[in-house]
């Protein structure tokens, strides 16, 4: 076993964009964090850090998984607070990319650090070995680069860059901490300028900008070609530059120009004229309101380089290229792109050719294996496939021969030859033996670090296959299966978006029966996101349209039976949630013995948005929980959850779902979604081993009664009067209130679960019969957006 790195407290040096957000994410992960910056010239000495912490609450996407966590970050300054560093286990420096400033800061803090503290720099490209030289000799073995990508909470990639002197145990300990505690995908990079992600990613952007000019394409056209059409994010190329900041982009390019003098592509490492022109005009992208794009009212305008002015954006691919990009077979797609005379097709072939050429040429010096390059680009830039995977999928040798032809014909950006290993008869760089390492000329398997044993289904590289387990029982809706022989069944849905239909409902009930006979526990886990988008509205709307209200009501009753079957199973049922968990999916996890949720879980009872109320036992469960929390006055606990349900709120994270009352305090939050199944199985086994018994049927639940409902209704009158809610919104919310409060009975009356379930059903069916609700359901199904009527 590698040495375990126990990190109780961390310090982040620098409260700028990255520093503050790294501090936020460490705090999300339960690490007490001190955020340092320079002393403020007026007001409190730690004012700069305090302002940065306050600003974290306003940013979107939110760096904090729960806004209340801002109060846990400790603001500090270098004049008064260096004593904090004595008890810190990890220091991450995230100040501006100036070598001299960083070296000065290291000298300043060195004497205040403990003998075991790990020191890391979040630099995106400066030499880690050079930075280490500023530290006293006895600290250098505890120093390395830890490079987060922006925004740190959401970008999966962290590059870990050891120096020549970094202890192996420090690297191993950090890798485990970053993977499990912080939830990241770790790639070990060599100490070369811009490391792996930005070295390849920024080159790809420079090549794209070069060929934009060469083929005389509009910036919006290039974005239409280099986004989802080729498996990359919606922001594509020029929108990404605007979001990053054109000055930041220019700075990264300058770093490449300054530090990579020997790179055969060095002539391209300078800021393109159009980019420099925008910077000189103060148009730095999103932060200044204009860059390659500019928003005027509701219209998006794009820069026309020839006119030097903004024109309406007409972002689209030509018909010929759109047809080529729609081809499923990558080999055929690349052949057609290369053969086409359409400038857009030639442009796409050129940017791929130069990217492949550059990446292959530099593999030996920047990364240990081709896998590291592909993961760095996928996790750091959001591409579906990395450059080597794309090339291999398109036919390695065929594409290699085309690249060689173009180099010979002078069409490529550089005349540097392809490395010999590229054309040694291989069919790619990823195979059964692992991924190719150009530095050692061998294929290397995945890391043997014990932390990866927690990832039962890790992010797969091209061609990787993992054990799909053994089926115990299945129907058209679900599959119950096992992985290994631990006695834990895994229940996965087979529907699109893992929605819930009759097959799923019947399947869950039957699978739990099988599990009670043959297994120790069950984990509900989906092989991909989302956990569940809720009930299948299409089937429900069909029944309503045909006036089959009895069939509709029996479907609702079956939903409730399924939730209660989960709750009262004789084996523990654990819900393993990641991604969207809405409506019926949320109700299933509420009824499970325990929920294990990935941090990025977006959980909500959203039925009000389609004109209904939760009727799979969700409102019943909230009423039961309120009674448990305060049997003398359940109304107090209902106030928050009423608003959550009536406004169809969806949590922005698993931590926020606890605040909203949709997860329990005892539910577990996992930061790395690839570890979710492993942790859920461990939790299920622990419950089983501790002699799990389902809760006894709740027969004496105190409710808030008609006075509770009346209080809720009074608050709704004001909303309607201020036009914040329509008449139908109020009708739905009133029924939600009535169900949560136990119906038209006296405050403090005792009811059982069946009573509350019957209330849910009655209100659900009555709402479903209204024209307005049917219009809402139909509108949501056709547009994906809610209708306010």
């Amino acid at each position: 076993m590698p040495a375990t790195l126990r990190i109780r407290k961390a310090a982040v040096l620098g409260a700028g964009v990255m520093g503050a957000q790294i501090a936020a994410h460490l705090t999300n992960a339960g690490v007490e964090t001190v955020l340092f910056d320079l002393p403020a010239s007026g007001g409190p000495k730690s004012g700069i850090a305090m302002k940065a912490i306050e600003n974290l609450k306003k940013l979107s996407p939110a760096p904090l998984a729960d806004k209340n966590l801002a109060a846990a970050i400790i603001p500090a300054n270098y004049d008064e607070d260096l004593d904090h560093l004595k008890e810190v286990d990890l220091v991450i420096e995230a100040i501006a990319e100036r070598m001299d400033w960083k070296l000065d800061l290291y000298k300043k803090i060195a004497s205040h650090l403990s003998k075991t503290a790990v020191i890391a720099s979040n630099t995106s490209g400066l030499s880690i070995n050079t930075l280490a030289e500023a530290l006293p000799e006895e600290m250098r073995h505890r120093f390395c680069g830890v490079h987060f990508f922006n925004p740190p909470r959401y970008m999966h990639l962290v590059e870990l860059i050891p120096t020549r002197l970094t202890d192996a145990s420090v690297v191993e300990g950090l890798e485990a901490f970053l993977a499990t505690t912080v939830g990241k995908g770790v790639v070990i990079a060599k100490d070369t300028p811009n490391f792996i992600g930005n070295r390849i990613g920024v080159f790809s952007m420079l090549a794209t900008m070069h060929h934009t000019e060469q083929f005389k394409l509009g910036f919006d056209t290039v974005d239409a070609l280099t986004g989802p059409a080729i498996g990359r994010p919606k922001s594509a190329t020029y929108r990404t530059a605007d979001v990053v900041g054109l000055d930041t982009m220019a700075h990264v390019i300058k770093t490449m120009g300054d530090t990579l003098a020997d790179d055969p592509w060095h002539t391209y490492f300078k800021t393109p004229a159009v980019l420099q022109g925008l910077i000189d005009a103060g148009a730095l992208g999103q932060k200044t309101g204009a860059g390659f794009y500019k928003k005027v009212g509701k219209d998006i305008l794009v820069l026309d380089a020839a006119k030097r002015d903004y024109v309406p954006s007409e972002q689209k691919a030509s018909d010929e290229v759109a047809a080529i990009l729609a081809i499923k077979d990558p080999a055929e797609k690349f052949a057609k792109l290369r053969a086409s005379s359409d400038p857009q097709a030639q442009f796409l072939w050129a940017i791929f050719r130069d990217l492949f050429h550059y990446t292959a040429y530099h593999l030996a010096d920047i990364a240990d294996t081709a896998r590291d390059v592909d993961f760095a680009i996928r996790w750091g830039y959001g591409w579906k496939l990395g450059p080597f995977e794309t090339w291999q999928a398109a036919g390695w040798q065929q594409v290699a021969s085309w690249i060689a032809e173009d180099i010979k014909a002078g069409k490529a950006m550089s005349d540097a030859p392809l490395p010999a290993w590229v054309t040694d008869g291989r069919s790619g760089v990823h195979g059964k033996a692992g991924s190719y390492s150009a530095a050692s000329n061998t294929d290397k398997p995945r890391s043997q670090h014990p932390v990866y044993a927690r990832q039962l289904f890790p992010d797969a590289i091209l061609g990787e296959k993992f054990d799909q387990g053994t089926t115990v029982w299945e129907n058209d809706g679900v599959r119950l299966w096992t992985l290994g022989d631990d006695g834990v069944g895994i229940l996965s849905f087979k529907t699109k978006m893992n929605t819930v239909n009759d097959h799923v409902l019947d399947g869950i009930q039957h699978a739990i029966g099988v599990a009670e006979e043959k297994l120790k526990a069950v984990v509900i886990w989906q092989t991909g996101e989302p956990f569940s988008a809720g009930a299948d509205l299409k089937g429900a709307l069909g029944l309503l349209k045909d006036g089959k209200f009895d069939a509709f009501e029996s479907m609702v009753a079956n939903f409730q039976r399924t939730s209660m079957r989960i709750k009262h199973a004789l084996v523990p049922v654990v819900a393993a949630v990641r991604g969207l968990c809405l409506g019926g999916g949320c109700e299933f996890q509420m009824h499970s013995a325990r929920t294990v949720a990935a941090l990025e879980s977006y959980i909500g009872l959203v039925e009000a948005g389609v004109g209904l109320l939760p009727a799979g036992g969700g409102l019943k469960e909230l009423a039961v929980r309120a009674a448990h929390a305060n049997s003398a006055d359940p109304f107090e606990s209902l106030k928050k959850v009423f608003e959550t349900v009536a406004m169809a709120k969806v949590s922005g994270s698993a931590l926020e779902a606890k605040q909203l009352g949709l997860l329990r305090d005892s539910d577990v939050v996992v930061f790395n979604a690839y570890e979710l199944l492993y942790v859920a199985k461990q939790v299920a086994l622990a419950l089983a081993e501790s002699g799990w018994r389902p809760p006894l049927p709740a027969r004496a639940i105190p409710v808030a009664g008609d006075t509770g409902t009346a209080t809720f209704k009074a608050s709704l009158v004001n909303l309607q009067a201020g036009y914040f809610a329509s008449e139908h919104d109020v009708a739905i919310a009133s029924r939600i209130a009535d169900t949560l409060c136990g119906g038209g009975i006296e405050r403090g009356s005792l009811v059982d679960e069946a009573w509350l379930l019957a209330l849910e059903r009655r209100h659900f069916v009555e709402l479903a019969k209204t024209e307005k609700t049917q219009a809402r359901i139909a509108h949501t199904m056709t547009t994906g957006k809610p209708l306010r009527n």
Side-chain angles (χ1 to χ4, degrees):
M1 283 288 290
T4 305
L5 191 61
R6 297 281 181 208
I7 293 174
R8 182 184 301 279
K9 191 169 180 179
V12 176
L13 311 179
V17 175
M18 282 302 280
Q21 293 198 53
I22 291 169
H25 194 57
L26 289 172
T27 308
N28 290 337
V31 178
E32 190 184 7
T33 303
V34 190
L35 180 61
F36 278 88
D37 211 300
L38 296 165
S41 49
K45 268 280 176 87
S46 298
I48 296 175
M50 288 160 83
K51 195 175 165 193
I53 293 166
E54 202 46 42
N55 191 45
L56 289 170
K57 299 182 200 169
K58 302 176 197 145
L59 292 177
S60 175
L64 291 162
D66 168 6
K67 282 193 173 63
N68 300 319
L69 286 170
I73 305 171
I74 303 163
N77 67 84
Y78 302 122
D79 275 7
E80 301 173 328
D81 301 317
L82 289 176
D83 269 4
H84 271 300
L85 295 174
K86 286 193 174 67
E87 60 215 36
V88 157
D89 307 302
L90 171 66
V91 177
I92 298 176
E93 168 272 304
I95 68 167
E97 294 287 81
R98 286 261 311 256
M99 184 70 83
D100 52 342
W101 290 359
K102 289 182 192 283
L103 298 178
D104 282 347
L105 183 58
Y106 295 177
K107 289 183 180 124
K108 189 175 204 164
I109 63 164
S111 61
H112 296 269
L113 293 170
S114 78
K115 298 266 184 289
T116 54
V118 171
I119 310 108
S121 174
N122 181 59
T123 175
S124 56
L126 297 177
S127 164
I128 304 296
N129 279 290
T130 308
L131 287 171
E133 287 164 18
L135 291 168
E137 210 159 310
E138 69 275 10
M139 295 171 84
R140 292 178 192 172
H141 66 283
R142 291 183 273 125
F143 178 78
C144 63
V146 170
H147 178 220
F148 285 83
F149 274 61
N150 192 18
R153 172 180 159 190
Y154 301 94
M155 296 311 286
H156 192 55
L157 178 65
V158 170
E159 291 175 316
L160 186 53
I161 311 102
T163 69
R164 289 184 291 274
L165 302 172
T166 313
D167 271 358
S169 63
V170 169
V171 178
E172 285 178 356
L174 267 177
E175 186 168 4
F177 169 75
L178 290 165
T180 292
T181 306
V182 190
K184 295 299 165 197
V186 179
V187 167
I188 311 273
K190 297 185 180 182
D191 186 17
T192 53
N194 288 6
F195 313 126
I196 303 174
N198 284 339
R199 180 76 178 268
I200 302 300
V202 175
F203 173 81
S204 175
M205 286 184 83
L206 284 172
T208 303
M209 289 177 169
H210 168 73
H211 290 302
T212 301
E213 200 179 335
Q214 205 188 9
F215 291 99
K216 302 192 171 24
L217 299 179
F219 302 124
D220 52 344
T221 304
V222 169
D223 278 356
L225 295 171
T226 58
I230 57 169
R232 295 182 191 175
K234 279 206 293 273
S235 56
T237 304
Y238 292 101
R239 261 180 221 286
T240 298
D242 273 356
V243 171
V244 167
L246 304 189
D247 50 343
T248 308
M249 182 88 196
H251 177 81
V252 177
I253 296 167
K254 184 180 185 309
T255 304
M256 289 179 82
D258 292 349
T259 54
L260 294 168
D262 299 338
D263 192 303
W265 284 261
H266 184 261
T267 46
Y268 301 98
F269 300 162
K270 56 178 187 285
T271 305
V274 64
L275 184 58
Q276 194 57 55
L278 285 167
I279 294 168
D280 294 344
L284 306 180
Q286 206 169 38
K287 59 189 169 189
T288 59
F292 288 104
Y293 292 91
K294 180 175 167 183
K295 202 169 179 188
V296 178
K298 286 193 172 172
D299 300 324
I300 302 279
L301 305 181
V302 64
L303 182 70
D304 182 316
K307 293 180 182 165
R308 298 195 172 185
D309 198 8
Y310 291 91
V311 298
S313 170
E314 298 162 356
Q315 197 169 0
K316 70 191 261 303
S318 69
D319 294 345
E320 183 185 335
V321 170
I324 295 175
L325 291 176
I327 295 168
K328 290 273 182 281
D329 173 28
E332 186 189 343
K333 187 186 311 191
F334 270 83
K336 290 221 158 103
L337 281 178
R338 188 165 191 269
S340 168
S341 57
D342 184 312
Q344 292 185 14
Q346 292 178 340
F347 161 81
L348 280 171
W349 161 250
I351 64 169
F352 277 114
R353 172 199 65 215
D354 290 320
L355 170 68
F356 296 161
H357 184 192
Y358 188 81
T359 310
Y361 185 88
H362 285 297
L363 174 59
D365 35 285
I366 66 169
D368 187 36
T369 68
R371 186 192 306 108
D372 295 329
V373 172
D374 281 342
F375 278 154
I377 292 297
R378 268 168 41 176
W379 296 340
Y381 280 77
W383 296 11
K384 281 212 169 72
L385 291 177
F388 286 126
E389 290 176 293
T390 308
W391 180 353
Q392 184 167 328
W396 186 272
Q397 287 302 335
Q398 177 58 75
V399 171
S401 69
W402 288 335
I403 297 170
E405 275 174 37
D406 281 11
I407 295 170
K408 201 171 171 187
K411 289 181 183 172
M413 285 168 72
S414 164
D415 58 5
L418 277 172
W421 61 263
V422 171
T423 50
D424 64 5
R426 65 179 50 253
S427 58
V429 287
H430 304 299
K432 281 195 174 59
S435 294
Y436 184 65
S437 166
S440 56
N441 192 27
T442 54
D443 289 328
K444 290 192 176 181
R446 275 180 176 265
S447 166
Q448 293 303 298
H449 192 305
V451 74
Y452 297 113
R454 298 168 60 87
Q455 299 188 13
L456 302 179
F457 290 89
D459 199 356
I461 206 88
L462 187 75
E464 268 187 322
K465 295 270 188 290
F466 303 109
D467 179 4
Q468 298 302 302
T470 308
T471 301
V472 179
W473 178 84
E474 65 184 323
N475 70 351
D476 288 346
V478 304
R479 174 185 180 228
L480 177 68
W481 52 290
T482 53
L483 191 66
D485 54 4
D486 55 10
V488 179
I490 302 164
L491 190 58
S492 305
F493 301 176
K494 296 177 172 182
T495 47
K496 190 177 177 187
M497 296 283 284
N498 299 319
T499 51
V500 182
N501 59 18
D502 290 336
H503 296 301
V504 172
L505 295 172
D506 297 342
I508 292 172
Q509 292 175 52
H510 186 84
I512 288 173
V514 172
E516 287 171 337
E517 281 176 36
K518 300 183 175 175
L519 298 164
K520 290 183 188 174
V522 173
V523 170
I524 303 176
W525 178 80
Q526 314 299 8
T527 52
E529 286 185 22
F531 177 74
S532 173
D536 173 16
L537 291 175
K538 194 168 148 206
L541 190 62
L543 292 174
L544 293 175
K545 282 234 161 80
D546 298 343
K548 295 180 178 169
F549 294 114
D550 288 349
F552 183 76
E553 181 160 6
S554 65
M555 182 194 83
V556 179
N558 197 25
F559 220 121
Q560 293 181 335
R561 256 197 311 283
T562 307
S563 289
M564 295 301 278
R565 189 75 181 91
I566 291 170
K567 184 172 183 173
H568 293 289
L570 291 170
V571 292
V573 179
V574 170
V577 172
R578 55 182 166 168
L580 289 176
C581 173
L582 305 177
C586 177
E587 290 174 299
F588 288 162
Q589 68 81 21
M590 289 173 77
H591 285 79
S592 62
R594 213 52 110 252
T595 296
V596 178
L599 178 71
E600 301 307 335
S601 294
Y602 311 112
I603 302 173
L605 292 169
V606 294
E607 287 81 355
V610 288
L612 294 165
L613 50 70
L619 294 181
K620 177 270 305 173
E621 199 59 25
L622 290 172
V624 172
R625 288 180 190 181
H628 279 315
N630 188 343
S631 57
D633 187 9
F635 185 76
E636 277 308 303
S637 298
L638 288 175
K639 284 196 283 206
K640 183 171 61 182
V641 293
F642 170 68
E643 189 182 318
T644 298
V645 181
M647 296 179 71
K649 283 187 182 175
V650 177
S651 73
S653 72
L655 296 181
E656 198 189 322
K658 289 193 174 192
Q659 294 291 327
L660 293 174
L662 298 169
L663 287 180
R664 299 156 285 205
D665 285 343
S666 58
D667 289 331
V668 179
V669 178
V670 170
F671 272 63
N672 194 322
Y674 294 106
E675 296 184 356
L676 181 67
L677 180 58
Y678 171 85
V679 176
K681 288 181 84 178
Q682 298 295 322
V683 168
L685 274 173
L687 289 171
E689 296 298 337
S690 62
W692 165 259
R693 293 294 302 168
L696 292 166
R699 294 203 174 91
I701 306 156
V703 292
D706 47 12
T707 52
T709 307
T711 312
F712 281 138
K713 283 185 173 174
S715 67
L716 294 170
V717 171
N718 298 335
L719 280 176
Q720 194 178 346
Y723 300 107
F724 293 112
S726 70
E727 193 180 333
H728 196 52
D729 289 332
V730 171
I732 298 159
S734 300
R735 290 176 185 272
I736 290 170
D738 188 66
T739 311
L740 285 172
C741 295
I745 53 177
E746 271 187 40
R747 184 178 201 155
S749 300
L750 302 178
V751 303
D752 61 8
E753 288 182 278
W755 170 274
L756 292 167
L757 289 169
L759 265 177
E760 273 189 4
R761 275 199 310 282
R762 177 168 67 80
H763 283 311
F764 188 85
V765 174
E766 284 174 7
L767 276 172
K769 288 178 177 175
T770 64
E771 265 180 45
K772 285 190 168 176
T773 283
Q774 292 186 22
R776 283 190 180 196
I777 296 173
H779 186 268
T780 301
M781 279 175 54
T782 48
T783 67
K785 294 186 173 74
L787 171 70
R788 292 295 299 277
N789 58 358

